[in-house]
Amino acid sequence: MHEILNWPEQYRKGPYFENATEVFDNKTINGNWTTFIAETDKGYMLGFRTNETRLEDISYVTEFVADYFDIFDPINNESPILYPIENISEISVVPYGEYTKYTSNPTYDSYVYVSDNLEGGTVSFYILLQANNDPGEWPVKYRGQYMNEVIANVNDTSNVKVRAILGQIHASSVK
């Protein structure tokens, strides 16, 4: 498990991925892809680059712990999720102890940056970012995680628009 703990306040940029190098930057994954944090006109986003010109599918799964984010409302409280966030589905919440949580799995449009040296074709994405709150900082009843999941086939490069699903699991919902 990767940890992002004790970041100075000025680097807590939430969904922008800025300075999230410990987890997301320069990781080699299958298909000769390397992850990176792309700075684009839409802001900082998760990117994938390769020196190959032949497309390989992207499968990227990572789990991390952060000490500052909100697992109950990550979209509105600047938790690390795919960014930018556009066209969010309707979000409703229900009480969850002293907090609220989503009643369903919201979806939203986001972007992933893909190397622009590819010669065309289609690449399949499977991205799963699993964020856990710090178990040392939260009572058992409030421990949990949320997942950002993207499953898509794209035939574009640079800023590629994808539809993301956000799911939540809380300690009391696990039996």
Side-chain angles (χ1 to χ4, degrees), residues 36 46 58 62 67 74 92 119 128-129:
F36 70 106
L46 182 60
I58 294 174
T62 192
D67 65 350
S92 57
E119 292 179 353
L128 178 63
L129 306 177

Side-chain angles (χ1 to χ4, degrees), residues 25 30 36 43-44 50 59 84 101 104 118 130 146 174:
D25 198 24
N30 289 341
F36 70 106
Y44 291 91
T50 184
S59 179
K101 68 177 184 174
S104 62
L118 304 176
Q130 183 173 310
Y146 63 85
V174 178

